[in-house]
């Protein structure tokens, strides 16, 4: 789930900006647009006063001035043009066309044609708009505003190269004018050319001018390029300059969320919501901030409110469905995901909805449907560099070579390595994995009978087709979970860990802090004091940690090394206790007795569809009581938070169960129930 920004806070609305005589023409070498000076000066000053009122947002005063003026001077073309600008600013493009046409009849000033053309464009009359603006371009080729207007017309017509050339021409006429850089940057961002847009908006920011607008544009360009955290200082500058603008505040709150500064984000978003309570983006971002802090009951209120404001918006339905899923309201979440798929306006939104619905199906044991929906990832994630030109493998037997590649985190990759053996029975396999997994995977090659070899990104060209590891269940037609365990002997045993007596327990208490919603799956280390009272246990850290000296229990640090080094360390342990991280997959793959401390509403891999209760085979796992046993890793037992609750109290029961489990293990048992 991503925060949502509002793309108008602090931005100039170019579509309604009034056009007056180009007093800056002398700076850029533009031609004069003067009329008869002796007669036009007082009339021009009235039009200028009205347009100044309009620029301040006082359209009513501008219209009043012009109506009174035109009653006395009905032949004043400047006055009629100014009235056209007022009409455009008020959203009345039809009236603006008539008024600008009247101005053109009285005096064919080139910038009158610009206003006429833009009004025609707003009414959807693209070709008449092009003709009108072309008059201005031909009459005053040194006026950057004419080229800017032509760029808008060309963009509306779908002629993007022509639009870009027009913007570049406007920029070449006024290279030191901040607004010209901003117009080009905004266009590039709309075209999906994020990196170029950021570069141009950075140049705009370096120029003197209306700094707030430049900061906002640069922030928007960074956000569109997927660099929301980098956008935060610029959104902050806009919010500082516009402290009562709810859009500026909301955008800053979204950027603070991206930087994991949740408490600050909450304060800023609360201020934005107080100023404008019925803005879906603001309520969404506030809901996401609550989710990131583990406050699901507050999150569901905000995300539902956002959804009710725009029930046709697939993104809002997805966010609302996600918090419903985490709260255990499965059917309501499913309804939201289905609704999101129906309402999606883009391939990306449709794919996200399919993924969320697929994950819910996997969680509830509907694997064939879930794997099929998971294929929507292909609309969101590009294949590895060099593999994009390879055709997708359909899973059928072939004498050609197939590239299998890792797609997401190490835990996902470890889980889906089990399918390589079946893939290798149908094709020769090139396996491309992250560098940190290479030595680990090399230990597995013998079990694949020489039909699999590891490759680097530079060797992708050796393959004839490609397939993500995560697509293998669907392509191979293997729906249900199944256990797979490599021979532990190939990973050896780490002798150093045996220098200490007692039960050797690997411990992992937190996941990747870069994950926005990590707080719910990770433990505050201070809570591990509940395990300190178990006698006869030696704890080994299975994650890096700098503050071991202040840890609530004695803990051996994790040595440096790759995944193979960690696997060798785990192979030398007796048991593992971990939250939902890669470590659970690794320990389960090695057949190591493992207890997963799972959050309520956790990942689909540990949900009812993928577990059984050992003393009742085939019975779905409950949220509490007997240990659930993983179908993916038979050595993994799961203890869950029995219900959703906020804060540290939510972990007290799983940790109490873990302490009792360790006590039983010290005594030589391995109970499935306590």
């Amino acid at each position: 789930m991503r925060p949502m920004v509002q793309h108008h806070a602090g931005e100039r609305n170019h579509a309604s900006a009034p056009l007056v005589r180009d007093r800056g023409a002398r700076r850029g070498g533009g031609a004069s647009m003067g009329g008869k000076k002796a007669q036009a000066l007082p009339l021009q000053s009235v039009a200028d006063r009205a347009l100044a009122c309009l620029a301040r947002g006082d359209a009513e005063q501008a219209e009043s001035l012009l109506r009174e003026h035109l009653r006395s001077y009905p032949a004043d073309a400047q006055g009629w043009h100014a009235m056209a600008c007022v009409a455009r600013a008020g959203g009345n493009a039809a009236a603006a066309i008539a008024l600008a046409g009247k101005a053109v009849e009285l005096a064919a000033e080139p910038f009158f044609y610009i206003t006429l053309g833009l009004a025609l464009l707003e009414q959807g009359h693209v070709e008449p708009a092009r003709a009108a603006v072309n008059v201005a371009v031909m009459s005053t080729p040194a006026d950057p505003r004419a080229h800017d207007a032509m760029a808008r017309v060309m963009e509306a017509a779908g002629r993007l190269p022509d639009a870009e050339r027009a913007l570049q021409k406007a920029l070449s006429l006024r290279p030191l004018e901040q607004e010209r850089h901003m117009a080009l940057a905004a266009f590039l961002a709309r075209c999906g050319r994020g990196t170029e847009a950021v570069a141009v908006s950075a140049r705009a920011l370096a120029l003197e001018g209306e700094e707030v607008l430049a900061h906002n544009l640069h922030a928007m360009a960074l956000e569109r390029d997927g660099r929301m955290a980098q956008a935060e200082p610029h959104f902050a500058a806009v919010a500082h300059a516009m402290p009562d603008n709810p859009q500026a505040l909301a955008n800053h709150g979204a950027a603070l969320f991206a930087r994991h500064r949740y408490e600050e984000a909450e304060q800023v978003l609360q201020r934005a919501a107080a100023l404008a309570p019925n803005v879906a983006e603001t309520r969404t971002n506030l809901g996401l901030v609550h989710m990131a802090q583990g406050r699901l009951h507050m999150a569901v209120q905000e995300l539902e409110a956002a959804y009710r404001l725009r029930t046709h918006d697939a993104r809002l339905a997805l966010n609302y469905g996600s918090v419903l899923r985490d709260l255990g309201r499965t059917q309501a979440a499913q309804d939201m995901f289905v609704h999101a798929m129906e309402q999606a306006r883009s391939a990306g939104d449709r794919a996200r909805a399919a993924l969320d619905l697929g994950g819910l199906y996997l969680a509830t044991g509907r694997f064939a449907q879930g794997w099929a929906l998971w294929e929507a990832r292909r609309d969101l994630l590009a294949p590895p560099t060099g593999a994009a030109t390879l055709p997708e493998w359909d899973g059928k037997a072939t004498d050609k070579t197939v590239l299998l590649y890792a797609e997401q985190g190490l835990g996902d990759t470890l889980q889906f390595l089990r399918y390589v053996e079946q893939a290798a029975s149908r094709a020769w396999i090139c396996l491309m994995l992250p560098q940190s997994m290479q030595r680990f995977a090399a230990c597995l090659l013998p079990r694949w009978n020489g039909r699999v070899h590891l490759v680097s990104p530079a060797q992708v060209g050796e393959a004839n087709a490609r397939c993500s590891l995560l697509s293998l269940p669907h392509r191979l037609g293997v729906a249900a979970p199944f256990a797979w365990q490599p021979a532990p002997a190939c990973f050896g045993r780490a002798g150093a860990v045996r220098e200490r007596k007692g039960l050797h327990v690997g411990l992992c208490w937190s996941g990747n802090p870069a994950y926005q919603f990590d707080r719910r799956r990770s433990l505050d280390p201070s809570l591990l004091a509940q395990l300190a009272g178990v006698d006869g246990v030696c704890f080994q850290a299975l994650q890096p940690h700098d503050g071991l000296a202040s840890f609530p229990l004695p803990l051996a640090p994790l040595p440096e090394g790759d995944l193979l080094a960690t696997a060798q360390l785990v192979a030398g342990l007796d048991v593992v206790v971990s939250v939902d991280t890669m470590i659970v997959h690794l320990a389960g793959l090695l057949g190591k007795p493992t207890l997963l401390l799972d959050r309520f509403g956790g990942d689909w891999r540990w949900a009812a569809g993928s577990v059984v209760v050992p003393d009742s085979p085939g019975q779905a796992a409950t949220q509490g009581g007997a240990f659930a046993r993983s179908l993916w890793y038979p050595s993994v037992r799961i203890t869950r938070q029995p219900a959703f609750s906020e804060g540290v109290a939510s972990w007290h029961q799983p940790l109490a169960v873990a302490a009792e489990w360790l006590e039983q293990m010290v005594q030589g048992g391995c109970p499935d129930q306590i």
Side-chain angles (χ1 to χ4, degrees):
M1 292 180 288
R2 293 176 57 192
M4 301 173 71
V5 300
Q6 301 168 47
H7 285 268
H8 299 296
E11 292 181 298
R12 183 191 304 279
N13 188 346
H14 293 282
S16 60
L19 287 167
V20 296
R21 289 176 181 270
D22 190 3
R23 294 180 180 81
R26 288 188 298 274
R27 288 182 290 139
S32 170
M33 299 182 193
K36 294 182 178 179
K37 295 183 180 178
Q39 181 181 355
L41 189 58
L43 304 180
Q44 175 68 27
S45 65
V46 173
D48 281 353
R49 283 166 53 202
L51 292 175
C53 289
L54 181 61
R56 293 195 301 271
D58 192 350
E60 186 176 352
Q61 176 64 19
E63 184 175 359
S64 176
L65 278 171
L66 290 168
R67 285 190 181 280
E68 182 178 350
H69 171 70
L70 288 171
R71 277 195 291 268
S72 301
Y73 299 95
D76 177 27
Q78 301 284 353
W80 290 108
H81 172 258
M83 279 291 279
C85 292
V86 172
R88 281 192 67 225
N92 192 346
I97 292 170
L99 292 164
K102 176 73 170 177
V104 166
E105 289 176 8
L106 292 168
E109 291 270 19
F111 66 97
F112 292 178
Y113 282 98
I114 297 177
T115 298
L116 175 61
L118 293 176
L120 286 164
L121 184 63
E122 287 156 14
Q123 284 289 91
H125 306 310
V126 178
E127 182 53 32
R130 187 205 62 78
V133 173
N134 192 55
V135 173
V137 172
M138 298 300 292
S139 302
T140 54
D143 184 356
R145 300 168 308 164
H147 297 285
D148 181 79
M150 183 59 78
R152 295 184 221 175
V153 175
M154 292 293 100
E155 185 177 358
R159 295 167 56 178
L160 299 184
D162 290 334
E164 184 175 357
R165 278 191 288 271
L167 288 170
Q168 292 283 9
K169 178 64 176 178
L171 179 58
S172 69
L173 290 167
R174 298 286 175 79
L176 299 180
E177 192 169 270
Q178 190 178 69
E179 185 173 353
R180 301 304 155 206
H181 293 270
M182 291 167 63
L184 178 58
F187 168 81
L188 293 170
R190 289 193 298 273
C191 293
R193 294 160 61 181
T195 302
E196 295 172 79
V198 169
V200 175
S201 64
R203 291 199 293 270
L205 194 61
L207 295 170
E208 293 183 6
E210 296 178 87
E211 200 169 306
V212 173
L213 299 179
H215 273 293
N216 194 68
L217 176 69
H218 190 53
M220 291 293 185
L222 286 165
E223 184 271 335
R224 286 178 184 268
D225 197 40
R227 292 187 265 172
M228 188 62 153
Q230 291 176 246
E232 187 273 324
H234 304 285
F235 278 131
V238 178
H240 179 75
M242 308 172 71
D244 296 321
N245 185 304
Q247 291 181 331
L249 292 171
N251 287 347
H252 185 212
L256 287 167
F257 170 80
R259 295 190 66 181
H260 296 212
R261 290 161 57 181
Y262 302 129
E263 288 75 13
E264 295 174 73
E266 182 179 356
Q267 293 177 6
V268 172
L269 289 167
Q270 291 282 16
R271 286 166 53 201
L275 290 166
N278 294 322
V279 177
E281 289 83 358
T282 304
R283 302 297 292 270
T284 290
N285 293 338
L286 194 51
L288 296 181
V289 167
H290 287 317
M291 282 191 74
Q293 295 180 94
R295 301 199 294 253
L296 297 190
H297 289 133
M298 298 177 71
V300 74
Q301 294 176 17
E302 295 295 338
L303 294 174
E304 180 180 12
Y307 167 70
R308 298 298 176 197
L309 288 167
R310 285 208 307 264
T311 57
H312 62 279
D313 192 322
R315 299 168 301 169
L316 302 179
L318 283 177
N319 287 340
Y320 182 34
S322 296
V323 72
L324 290 171
R325 177 194 58 208
D326 284 3
L327 285 167
R329 296 164 59 181
T330 304
Q331 185 58 53
Q334 178 176 318
D335 293 343
M336 279 295 106
F337 296 151
V338 171
H339 177 67
M341 289 185 68
E342 294 169 347
Q343 295 296 319
R345 296 288 188 270
S346 69
D349 285 345
R350 193 172 298 107
R352 292 182 187 94
L355 278 174
D356 281 348
L357 183 60
L360 189 145
Y361 283 163
L362 295 175
T364 52
R366 291 171 281 182
F367 286 99
Q369 294 167 280
W371 297 133
L373 286 168
W374 250 37
E375 289 298 280
R377 301 183 327 279
R378 293 159 60 187
D379 291 329
L380 298 173
L381 302 171
T385 303
T389 58
L390 295 175
E392 288 277 0
W393 182 45
D394 60 8
K396 296 179 181 178
T398 177
D399 58 358
K400 296 183 178 179
T401 301
V402 174
L403 172 72
L404 297 183
Y405 59 90
E407 183 182 293
Q408 299 188 38
L410 294 182
D412 291 314
T413 304
L414 287 170
Q415 180 183 2
F416 285 82
L417 279 176
R418 72 192 64 221
Y419 295 98
V420 173
E421 186 168 353
Q422 294 181 58
S425 71
R426 303 186 188 186
W428 297 95
I429 300 298
C430 293
L431 182 59
M432 186 168 67
L433 301 174
Q435 183 61 39
S436 62
M437 295 188 72
Q438 291 286 324
R439 291 201 310 140
F440 176 87
C443 295
L444 304 178
L445 291 178
R447 71 176 296 131
W448 293 323
N449 301 318
R451 292 183 62 85
V452 178
H453 70 280
L454 299 174
V455 297
S456 67
Q459 298 170 301
V460 166
E462 298 179 12
N464 306 110
R466 61 179 163 89
C467 181
S468 164
L469 283 171
L470 273 63
S471 289
L472 286 177
H474 179 66
R475 305 287 174 84
L476 298 172
V478 182
F482 66 92
W484 174 74
Q485 179 180 319
C490 70
F491 298 104
R493 293 179 65 86
V497 75
R498 287 300 175 188
E499 293 176 1
R500 297 173 294 158
K501 294 181 180 180
L503 183 76
H504 290 72
V505 179
L507 195 59
C508 183
W509 57 93
S510 65
N512 183 356
Y515 175 52
Q516 287 282 12
F517 305 101
D518 183 64
R519 285 196 189 184
R520 285 197 58 232
R521 72 169 175 179
S522 294
L523 288 166
D524 185 312
S526 65
L527 297 176
L528 297 174
Q530 286 187 250
L531 305 182
V534 181
D535 293 330
V537 173
C538 298
F539 289 105
Q540 166 67 55
L542 294 178
Q543 66 177 80
H545 185 58
D546 295 331
L548 292 177
S550 59
F551 218 72
L553 45 78
L555 195 66
L558 177 70
E560 292 186 4
D562 60 6
L563 186 64
L564 177 60
T566 303
Q568 291 170 337
L569 181 62
V570 171
L573 298 170
D574 294 311
V575 299
V576 170
V577 176
S578 176
V579 295
D580 182 9
T581 71
M582 175 273 293
I583 290 297
V584 178
H585 294 275
L586 180 61
L589 203 62
L590 297 177
K592 191 64 56 178
T594 301
L595 184 61
L596 166 63
L597 308 177
D598 199 22
R599 70 188 186 278
F600 181 85
D603 192 79
W604 65 265
R605 293 161 178 82
W606 321 116
S610 290
V611 298
V612 294
V613 176
D615 61 354
S616 302
Q619 178 183 344
T622 61
Q623 290 289 346
F627 285 137
R629 177 173 58 82
S630 170
L631 293 174
W632 300 100
Y633 307 104
S635 68
V636 172
R637 303 294 185 267
I638 304 163
T639 179
R640 291 193 179 90
Q641 297 171 345
F644 171 72
S645 61
E646 297 174 6
V648 297
S650 62
W651 288 109
H652 285 165
Q653 180 171 328
L655 284 167
V657 170
E660 193 168 352
W661 185 73
L662 290 177
E663 289 176 353
Q664 295 286 342
M665 294 294 288
V666 168
Q667 296 170 15
C670 185
D672 282 320
Q673 283 192 334
I674 292 178

